[in-house]
Amino acid sequence: MATGSDDRLEWELRCLEEVRRGDRRAFGELYAAFAPPLYTQVLLPRLGSPSAAEEALAETFRAALEHVGSYRHQGGSLFGWLARIAVNKATDLHRERARTGKALASFESLIAPLRDGDRGTAAEAERRLDQRRLRAAVEEALSQLSPRYRLAIELRMLEGLPRAECARRMEISIGNFDVLLLRALRAFRGAWVARHGERWEEP
């Protein structure tokens, strides 16, 4: 790859045209050149988490490849175009995490009594009965979900596994798991409210 400014732009445009023709090697060259600065200068400072920044970086290049045909050279480096995509992906991830966080908080509040250990005293008999009723109600709502939605909730919320492990077990990326979990929690909310008529906070 040339290092001079003009030569660099010429190299970028040549790679871009090759990518448009389906050359994966040229796409790999662009990724190698632009991924590190996008990660360190754009994504990591905005997201603060290496795993989140890596997820957004992958989404940035996926979107760039999808829209490479519509890119119009304005005289500057491809970095500006890629950086705008990266900023949008970081913003999307922030919004998705905020929605997921609210949904998680609502679900955790609902099942909190199930995480209290039985103390084994007579005074706790009524509380244990309430626990059993709540557990049965939660199971009933979960039974109405698709298998993937149910599994996502069970792994993350009931078993308490880390997001990365949940994603690994479901054979999807962490970002896709986050989206799946949010949709699963929304489906659970709908099943719960339909059955019990109790308020469920909107994520």
Side-chain angles (χ1 to χ4, degrees):
M1 181 180 65
T3 56
S5 178
D6 290 341
D7 289 342
R8 166 76 182 217
L9 285 176
E10 182 181 343
W11 169 81
E12 289 182 11
L13 293 175
R14 184 174 67 251
C15 281
L16 184 64
E17 287 306 314
E18 291 172 356
V19 169
R20 285 171 170 163
R21 293 196 293 267
D23 188 335
R24 297 184 66 85
R25 180 196 57 78
F27 182 79
E29 286 189 37
L30 290 176
Y31 184 92
F34 291 111
L38 286 170
Y39 177 86
T40 58
Q41 299 173 28
V42 180
L43 293 170
L44 190 58
R46 284 172 169 79
L47 294 169
S49 163
S51 62
E54 289 167 6
E55 187 69 31
L57 183 65
E59 285 298 304
T60 295
F61 278 94
R62 182 197 61 75
L65 186 59
E66 183 178 334
H67 295 99
V68 69
S70 62
Y71 173 77
R72 295 294 177 266
H73 181 56
Q74 303 291 328
S77 170
L78 280 171
F79 182 79
W81 178 60
L82 292 170
R84 287 193 295 274
I85 297 175
V87 168
N88 289 336
K89 294 303 177 183
T91 300
D92 290 345
L93 187 54
H94 270 303
R95 290 172 179 165
E96 197 68 22
R97 284 190 163 189
R99 290 193 292 267
T100 303
K102 290 179 181 179
L104 289 172
S106 296
F107 188 86
E108 287 175 344
S109 176
L110 172 68
I111 67 171
L114 299 181
R115 294 175 173 170
D116 294 337
D118 290 338
R119 299 188 182 91
T121 64
E124 293 299 314
E126 185 175 347
R127 183 184 64 81
R128 291 198 299 273
L129 178 60
D130 288 342
Q131 279 187 323
R132 287 194 293 273
R133 288 171 176 164
L134 175 58
R135 185 175 291 107
V138 169
E139 282 296 325
E140 180 188 31
L142 285 173
S143 71
Q144 299 179 43
L145 307 185
S146 71
R148 281 176 66 77
Y149 281 2
R150 175 172 181 143
L151 180 59
I153 290 177
E154 288 176 341
L155 291 176
R156 183 72 175 110
M157 306 302 301
L158 302 182
E159 296 184 27
L161 297 178
R163 292 165 53 244
E165 176 62 17
C166 294
R168 187 190 69 79
R169 292 196 183 191
M170 298 193 73
E171 299 181 340
I172 56 178
S173 70
I174 295 178
N176 286 340
F177 175 77
D178 288 341
V179 172
L180 178 66
L181 180 60
L182 176 60
R183 291 173 178 169
L185 290 169
R186 285 174 171 168
F188 179 91
R189 177 196 61 199
W192 182 270
V193 172
R195 176 67 176 83
H196 301 283
E198 297 182 12
R199 183 177 181 276
W200 182 273
E201 182 183 353
E202 283 287 340

